[in-house]
Amino acid sequence: MVRNSTLERQTGRLPAEFTSFVGRDAELVRLRRLVGEHRLVTLTGPAGVGKTRLAVRTAALSEEEFDEGVHFVGLSGLTEPSLLAQTICDAFGLAEQAGETAVGCLVDHLADRRLLLVLDTCEHLLDECATLTEAMLRTAPGLRVLATSRQALDVMGEHTVVVAPLGRSGDGDGDGDGGGAVEGEGDAVRLFAERAAAAVQGWTLTRGNRDAAVQLCDRLDGIPLAIELAAVQLRAFSLDQVLGRLGTHLFQVRGRRTSVRRHQTLRAAVDWSHELCSPEERLLWARLSVFADGFDLEAAENVCGGDGLPADHVADVLTGLVEKSIVQRADRGGEARYRMLDTLREYGAERLAGLGGRDRLRHACFAWYARQLRRARAELPSAAQIQWLEWFDCERGNIRALLGHVVATAEPGALRDALETLGRLWALRGTVGEGRHWVDRVLETRDTTGPGWTGLLAIAALTMTLQDDLARAGELLDRAEAQGRADDDPRGIALAVSAKGIVALFEGDFDLVLRLLGTADELARGSGEDDLLFLLIDVFRGVAYLFKNEFTASVAHADAAAQAGAERGELWVRSYGMLVCGLALWLADDLDASMEQLRRALRIKRDLDDELGTTLALESIAACLSSRGEAARAVRLLGAADRLREFTQTSWFGPHHALLREIHIDRAQQALGEEAFRAALEEGGRLPLADAVEDALGEGPEGEGARTGGPLTNRELQVAALVAEGLSNRAIAERLTIAKRTADSHVEHILAKLGYSSRAQIATWITAQKS
């Protein structure tokens, strides 16, 4: 697997805090100490008590204590226990290698690293979380795990901390360790005052309303979520009205659903918020629970509109839920997105089940995603590829959860369309193991022997090939080809035959590779369809000729793939074509031309957030530098690539790729000697990825990555200046002709280097530099 922590994808990063963090000073001090002393600390407590916020804040404060930082994995939307390891792999940006399981890759990656892993919301996956956590801790002595759960994991060595509600009075007599007073008020009252002021302009805590605020927080048992829901009601009622209505409501509902008092209190507060919603808001709240992760307005309108809630009303109704703090804005990459806290989503799911039609809505939601994925497949071999990858990164959690519910029952055409496209997207993101999981589920639960299944069978076989399950892949491809011929489906036949060519590549029969891919190319051209996988045919032909030592033919085919991608505005296949071309030129000893191709490929792979491709490019540039006589520099780059993953083979080019690595490793070892080689490799392993990429690109004193003598590079200064002009990240990307994710990454690096948290601070800093 490959780790790429500096690129834009959000997995693994601590979630942004959209509101201020109030109180819990004593808990934070205690938890930071416990995380240092114990390898597994689990925060337990009822819903809404603040376990996640406390874990995130503790992790943020502890980050500098871990060489590899902290990584966050939210599990609330995960419905498939068997994908737990893959989900954690995603948080580390790990892309699979042939023959590896997700668990194996994960424990290998963690083995010698010192980091803090936050596992949030474990209670619905308790056994799986316990088993995997124990395995990770057993094999990775530098790992610390901070978990949140309504129940303890019951793993040996676990230290459990019960998260108490916030202290309610000013003298620290509230429940728990964190109830000390600040400015005479308990943390619960402080939280209420801050959220009330945010909800109602000009609202302040005074001597006149303090007693009512204390009573309200007391009635709510100091539960943060309940307090926040009550505070937002000040938009419609006075504090005395809120207190009066809440008191009556609590009396009516307490004891109805559970014997645990704090559960009763939170349920009552949520019930009350639900009753204050309009009928349309209640209906939308229930329907939005079908999204396990965030969602955008278009998805909400298409999935939740209709049957009592016109689609053109959804935007206004959603705004009402945002104003009532039922739904939160959770923008990503400059695009408006929304989410619900887990507790409120679970409540909505209960209401949806009570209304009936939950399964119907899940299937409607899946059908919506299937339609989007059908569009994506058609546009992946085009300039829209980046936008679809960004969309997939946002929607992956929703799609994964839905598949868990509908894979056995979805309409066959929608399922085939969805999984054929998802197979391509999983490949682009290097998560073939998840694809294997789902195609295995389909093969186990559905009849795939009839018409129309050729493409999906070919995708299934491709995932098996990339995991070295070649015998099973061959059987499926024979079925796929036969079905394609029975259906008179030239596209399907071409997919099956090209996949057979990739099987032959992994088996090392390069003449058979070329025969099969030649046939597949003819079939693909005859089908009249443009498919991302068809663009790969010339890449793999180039690889086959490379391993046959026929470098001129290898360059010709690899360049044809790169040109075909360029004509369409596509980047992923195009950059792989450049990589194969660069490798062939390196082996042909045309080092200048090789370096030019490899650096062009690396820039694209970096912008695409393609972990496998970035690592392959770094290794290939290291090989070229070694041939140039720059052995120490080459080995440092190799060490940086190995820090992502010790790359003994690649999923895409088969096991023979390892032979290329051995060539330049032997050369560098002979040039440096074993001791200097090992020292350079270790130095590269400590090199930040951004610096390794900058070095590999050879960006000298005049280059965009050059150092300026200050904290920022020249390119970062450019980006900071555009931030100061008020440009959005998308506008910056357009101005500088770079990918938006690259602009996002630059802004994040600038904030981190300057120690700032806002774009306004960057603008102020730029102004100061000019004065």
Side-chain angles (χ1 to χ4, degrees):
M1 289 196 174
V2 177
R3 176 180 179 271
N4 191 339
S5 62
T6 67
L7 299 181
E8 190 274 341
R9 198 181 312 173
Q10 296 295 323
T11 51
R13 298 181 184 177
L14 291 174
E17 296 185 84
F18 295 100
T19 55
S20 59
F21 186 89
V22 175
R24 298 208 186 271
D25 296 335
E27 286 104 319
L28 288 169
V29 171
R30 180 186 176 207
L31 281 172
R32 290 187 66 185
R33 174 175 56 79
L34 290 174
V35 166
E37 294 174 352
H38 300 275
R39 300 194 57 213
L40 171 60
V41 177
T42 303
L43 305 184
T44 65
V49 81
K51 299 184 294 294
T52 298
R53 288 294 299 269
L54 185 56
V56 168
R57 179 54 62 100
T58 300
L61 293 173
S62 304
E63 187 164 11
E64 293 184 358
E65 299 169 18
F66 295 90
D67 297 338
E68 300 283 339
V70 301
H71 294 262
F72 179 91
V73 186
L75 301 176
S76 64
L78 182 62
T79 59
E80 288 288 304
S82 57
L83 287 178
L84 175 63
Q86 180 64 59
T87 302
I88 299 174
C89 285
D90 293 346
F92 286 102
L94 298 178
E96 297 171 14
Q97 293 296 300
E100 292 181 311
T101 65
V103 173
C105 292
L106 184 59
V107 297
D108 286 348
H109 176 77
L110 295 174
D112 57 356
R113 302 179 190 275
R114 176 171 168 75
L115 59 87
L116 175 63
L117 174 62
V118 181
L119 296 178
D120 182 50
T121 314
C122 298
E123 58 266 9
H124 64 303
L125 304 166
L126 209 58
D127 291 341
E128 292 78 11
C129 284
T131 301
L132 184 56
T133 297
E134 191 169 26
M136 292 188 293
L137 292 172
R138 186 171 56 247
T139 57
L143 174 67
R144 297 288 187 273
V145 176
L146 178 60
T148 75
S149 177
R150 297 181 194 179
Q151 292 178 252
L153 301 187
D154 286 333
V155 171
M156 184 175 296
E158 177 182 29
H159 189 96
T160 303
V161 177
V162 178
V163 178
L166 294 173
R168 278 107 68 189
S169 65
D171 58 5
D173 64 353
D175 295 359
D177 299 329
V182 178
E183 298 180 358
E185 303 301 344
D187 289 339
V189 178
R190 286 183 55 217
L191 176 66
F192 177 78
E194 286 201 16
R195 299 302 185 261
V200 179
Q201 186 175 2
W203 195 95
T204 58
L205 187 68
T206 66
R207 290 182 181 276
N209 60 25
R210 179 189 180 279
D211 287 347
V214 170
Q215 288 181 51
L216 185 142
C217 293
D218 203 44
R219 294 276 183 89
L220 295 174
D221 291 328
I223 299 174
L225 177 55
I227 291 169
E228 297 200 21
L229 291 173
V232 80
Q233 303 306 333
L234 292 177
R235 291 173 177 159
F237 305 104
S238 71
L239 179 53
D240 286 337
Q241 287 175 314
V242 170
L243 180 60
R245 292 168 63 88
L246 182 61
T248 301
H249 195 78
L250 287 174
F251 178 79
Q252 291 173 343
V253 302
R254 184 163 279 164
R256 240 177 21 189
R257 297 178 177 87
T258 174
S259 60
V260 182
R261 184 171 181 268
R262 285 171 186 148
H263 287 179
Q264 298 167 3
T265 302
L266 178 59
R267 180 62 184 236
V270 178
D271 278 342
W272 183 49
S273 294
H274 186 263
E275 290 181 8
L276 293 174
C277 290
S278 70
E280 285 189 331
E281 288 171 342
R282 295 176 195 172
L283 185 58
L284 183 58
W285 182 348
R287 291 179 179 176
L288 288 174
S289 68
V290 77
F291 295 105
D293 209 340
F295 55 91
D296 60 19
L297 178 59
E298 183 182 14
E301 288 175 332
N302 281 272
V303 173
C304 301
D307 295 332
L309 178 59
D312 57 2
H313 288 195
V314 168
D316 289 340
V317 178
L318 179 61
T319 299
L321 290 176
V322 171
E323 290 174 348
K324 292 178 174 64
S325 295
I326 304 303
V327 173
Q328 296 178 333
R329 278 282 295 269
D331 294 358
R332 182 165 174 181
E335 303 296 331
R337 288 185 66 80
Y338 305 87
R339 64 182 291 269
M340 281 195 289
L341 294 177
D342 294 338
T343 303
L344 300 180
R345 182 169 56 81
E346 291 169 7
Y347 183 93
E350 286 184 25
R351 292 286 175 170
L352 182 62
L355 292 171
R358 181 177 59 184
D359 290 342
R360 182 198 61 77
L361 189 64
R362 284 173 176 166
H363 282 85
C365 191
F366 182 73
W368 156 253
Y369 280 114
R371 291 193 297 273
Q372 297 298 95
L373 288 165
R374 191 181 303 120
R375 284 181 51 207
R377 188 173 75 191
E379 296 179 9
L380 278 176
S382 74
Q385 184 180 87
I386 289 178
Q387 284 71 38
W388 280 114
L389 285 172
E390 291 175 349
W391 174 86
F392 180 57
D393 289 343
C394 289
E395 303 295 350
R396 190 170 170 182
N398 289 323
I399 293 169
R400 175 187 283 159
L402 283 167
L403 281 172
H405 293 301
V406 308
V407 71
T409 56
E411 190 275 320
L415 184 66
R416 290 194 298 260
D417 283 345
L419 285 176
E420 279 203 52
T421 307
L422 287 169
R424 290 158 174 81
L425 290 167
W426 283 318
L428 264 69
R429 279 301 182 227
T431 53
V432 177
E434 181 164 3
R436 177 67 187 271
H437 170 85
W438 291 116
V439 297
D440 280 348
R441 284 280 298 276
V442 171
L443 294 171
E444 291 166 2
T445 60
R446 307 298 290 257
D447 179 6
T448 59
T449 59
W453 289 96
T454 300
L456 182 57
L457 292 175
I459 290 295
L462 184 58
T463 66
M464 295 169 185
T465 302
L466 299 177
Q467 292 194 326
D468 272 344
D469 190 354
L470 303 183
R472 180 97 187 278
E475 294 172 3
L476 271 189
L477 289 172
D478 287 340
R479 275 184 55 197
E481 184 177 359
Q483 187 63 58
R485 295 190 186 283
D487 293 345
D488 192 21
D489 175 12
R491 183 191 74 91
I493 300 170
L495 286 174
V497 174
S498 63
K500 284 187 172 184
I502 298 172
V503 171
L505 179 69
F506 274 68
E507 292 174 334
D509 190 341
F510 305 122
D511 289 329
L512 179 59
V513 173
L514 294 171
R515 287 199 300 273
L516 288 169
L517 292 182
T519 301
D521 190 32
E522 292 177 7
L523 289 166
R525 294 176 188 276
S527 74
E529 295 194 38
D530 212 6
D531 192 298
L532 187 73
L533 297 181
F534 293 160
L535 296 184
L536 277 174
I537 289 174
D538 267 324
V539 171
F540 286 112
R541 286 161 123 176
V543 174
Y545 278 116
L546 181 77
F547 292 143
K548 284 169 63 67
N549 295 321
E550 296 181 26
F551 304 131
T552 300
S554 178
V555 168
H557 282 288
D559 187 61
Q563 291 301 319
E567 290 170 4
R568 293 163 173 79
E570 186 275 342
L571 292 172
W572 187 72
V573 173
R574 177 185 179 187
S575 50
Y576 268 118
M578 293 174 181
L579 279 171
V580 176
C581 188
L583 285 169
L585 290 167
W586 164 59
L587 290 171
D589 210 30
D590 189 349
L591 300 184
D592 289 343
S594 171
M595 187 65 82
E596 180 183 356
Q597 287 284 348
L598 293 173
R599 283 175 170 165
R600 288 172 63 199
L602 177 57
R603 289 188 181 93
I604 294 174
K605 292 301 187 188
R606 175 190 62 187
D607 287 354
L608 277 179
D609 197 5
D610 181 351
E611 292 100 340
L612 282 175
T614 298
T615 306
L616 178 59
L618 286 174
E619 280 199 335
S620 302
I621 290 172
C624 203
L625 289 172
S626 181
S627 296
R628 281 181 169 181
E630 299 182 62
R633 186 180 172 199
V635 175
R636 283 195 298 272
L637 287 184
L638 189 62
D642 282 353
R643 184 170 179 265
L644 308 180
R645 175 66 175 110
E646 184 162 358
F647 220 66
T648 55
Q649 59 179 333
T650 78
S651 291
W652 282 109
F653 297 162
H656 287 75
H657 174 262
L659 300 175
L660 301 181
R661 177 187 168 96
E662 291 175 7
I663 293 171
H664 65 88
I665 285 179
D666 290 345
R667 180 178 292 154
Q669 284 176 322
Q670 291 173 12
L672 294 175
E674 187 61 36
E675 184 175 346
F677 174 87
R678 185 57 52 192
L681 195 67
E682 291 175 357
E683 181 184 351
R686 296 188 297 269
L687 192 66
L689 180 60
D691 292 346
V693 169
E694 179 181 313
D695 184 26
L697 292 175
E699 294 172 338
E702 301 303 320
E704 68 179 36
R707 297 291 168 189
T708 62
L712 305 184
T713 65
N714 280 331
R715 177 61 103 185
E716 287 167 349
L717 279 174
Q718 273 186 297
V719 172
L722 295 175
V723 169
E725 290 181 23
L727 272 65
S728 67
N729 288 3
R730 189 171 295 282
I732 291 170
E734 292 171 356
R735 177 79 65 88
L736 298 178
T737 319
I738 59 177
K740 179 182 172 296
R741 67 177 61 249
T742 303
D744 294 339
S745 182
H746 279 314
V747 172
E748 288 185 9
H749 293 160
I750 292 165
L751 289 168
K753 287 181 177 181
L754 297 179
Y756 293 158
S757 59
S758 73
R759 299 167 78 91
Q761 290 173 300
I762 296 176
T764 301
W765 184 85
I766 284 289
T767 302
Q769 302 308 302
K770 294 177 180 178
S771 60

